[in-house]
């Protein structure tokens, strides 16, 4: 199998899309799927699907396609979500609480180990099955529960310092909701989620269709 580091980023992104689609198919009772069906569901060519999966070895059987459950297991293994990942949330505001309450993360292999905040007014409040904990508890929870992921949901001006605190506590990668570019030591992956950027992209795409510049 090729080293994970050499897999193109767009391919890795598509693996998550394949996995989600396969989980939907499995829920709908589908047991096998071929690359054309999988590609059609995601607006991709069957060649693209085969090329992406070929990075990781030979799956599927000529004429039959892929066993849905086998491919789900394989994709989870490749993505590293075949074992639970523990994550902490820092910032118990709107975003932090919404993520912590989102019950389906567990089913996708991500367990929230704790939610933290610096505001003494809200420390101790219940969020789902958690109580908001003080920042002083962060390193202990990260160490005890082998937490590898930090979800950063604090205001932009606090994001850099909190990200550094997460890394110092031992987390290995950060999902950043704050609209601020983080600078961390090499080897700490950061993935940023920004609704505004997505909405701007959508607004731009809609404007183009309204101008008649592109088709649907
Ligand atoms: P919020 O104001 O409701 O909550 C922020 C929480 O962070 C507060 O409870 C505050 O006490 C806590 N906090 C502040 N400084 C801290 C520190 N140094 N250590 C620990 N906790 C600290 O904010 P909201 O609405 O939940 O937004 C959170 C972040 O997400 C903001 O940066 C916001 O701009 C961003 N955001 C991102 C979106 C996205 O699509 N990624 C969408 C909306 C907001």
């Amino acid at each position: 199998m090729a080293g994970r580091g050499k897999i193109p980023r767009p391919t890795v992104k598509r693996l998550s899309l394949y996995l989600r689609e396969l989980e939907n198919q499995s829920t709908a009772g589908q047991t096998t799927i071929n690359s054309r069906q999988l590609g059609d569901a995601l607006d991709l060519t069957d060649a693209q699907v085969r090329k992406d999966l070929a990075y990781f070895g030979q799956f599927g059987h000529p004429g039959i396609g892929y066993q849905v459950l086998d491919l789900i297991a394989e994709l989870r293994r490749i993505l590293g979500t075949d074992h639970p990942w523990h994550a902490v949330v820092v910032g118990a505001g709107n975003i932090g609480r919404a993520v912590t309450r989102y019950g389906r993360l567990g089913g996708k292999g991500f367990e929230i180990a704790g939610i933290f905040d610096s505001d003494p007014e809200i420390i101790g409040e219940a969020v789902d099955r958690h109580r908001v904990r003080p920042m002083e508890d962060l390193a202990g929870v990260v160490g005890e529960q082998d937490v590898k992921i930090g979800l950063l949901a604090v205001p932009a001006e606090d994001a850099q310092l909190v990200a550094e605190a997460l890394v110092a506590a031992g987390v290995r990668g950060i999902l950043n909701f704050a609209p601020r570019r983080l600078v961390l030591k090499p080897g700490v992956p950061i993935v940023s989620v920004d609704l505004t950027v997505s909405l701007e992209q959508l607004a731009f795409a809609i404007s183009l269709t309204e101008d008649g510049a592109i088709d649907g």
Side-chain angles (χ1 to χ4, degrees):
M1 184 169 90
R4 279 193 206 187
K6 297 203 175 69
I7 312 299
R9 225 169 248 253
T11 295
V12 177
K13 218 169 188 177
R14 283 192 293 270
L15 295 184
S16 294
L17 300 181
Y18 297 147
L19 179 55
R20 203 173 313 149
E21 180 57 30
L22 288 162
E23 286 168 343
N24 290 341
Q25 297 281 349
S26 175
T27 307
Q30 187 94 12
T31 55
T32 58
I33 193 165
N34 61 37
S35 46
R36 186 181 48 75
Q37 292 165 320
L38 190 51
D40 282 353
L42 296 165
D43 250 348
L44 298 167
T45 64
D46 52 340
Q48 180 74 71
V49 173
R50 282 196 301 273
K51 187 174 168 205
D52 285 341
L53 296 179
Y55 279 106
F56 307 96
Q58 188 62 47
F59 311 112
H61 311 278
I64 302 172
Y66 309 98
Q67 297 290 335
V68 171
L69 287 178
D70 289 354
L71 193 51
I72 288 175
E74 196 58 36
L75 287 173
R76 285 192 181 146
R77 194 185 60 72
I78 292 163
L79 290 167
T81 54
D82 56 342
H83 57 90
W85 288 78
H86 291 167
V88 286
V89 175
V90 180
N94 298 303
I95 300 263
R97 285 171 197 247
V99 172
T100 304
R101 288 190 180 119
Y102 181 60
R104 291 196 194 143
L105 277 182
K108 302 281 179 200
F110 300 97
E111 292 289 343
I112 302 295
I115 176 164
F116 297 82
D117 205 286
S118 60
D119 181 351
E121 296 274 309
I122 60 174
I123 287 168
E125 280 184 14
V127 180
D128 196 32
R129 59 190 171 83
H130 299 278
R131 298 247 164 225
V132 178
R133 303 179 70 143
M135 293 300 285
E136 295 73 48
D137 289 359
L138 184 62
V141 171
V142 169
E144 281 158 24
Q145 301 200 42
D146 191 26
V147 171
K148 296 222 165 67
I149 295 176
L151 283 79
L152 188 58
V154 300
E157 55 274 21
D158 296 281
Q160 178 65 35
L161 273 180
V162 174
E164 288 168 15
L166 277 162
V167 174
V171 310
R172 304 276 304 281
I174 291 183
L175 186 65
N176 176 30
F177 288 93
R180 181 64 53 98
R181 200 175 82 82
L182 303 173
V183 182
L184 296 172
K185 65 179 184 189
V188 180
I190 302 163
V191 170
S192 294
V193 181
D194 196 327
L195 265 185
T196 318
V197 170
S198 303
L199 284 169
E200 279 167 5
Q201 297 295 310
L202 182 60
F204 178 69
I206 293 172
S207 317
L208 288 184
T209 60
E210 285 177 347
D211 291 347
I214 58 170
D215 294 330

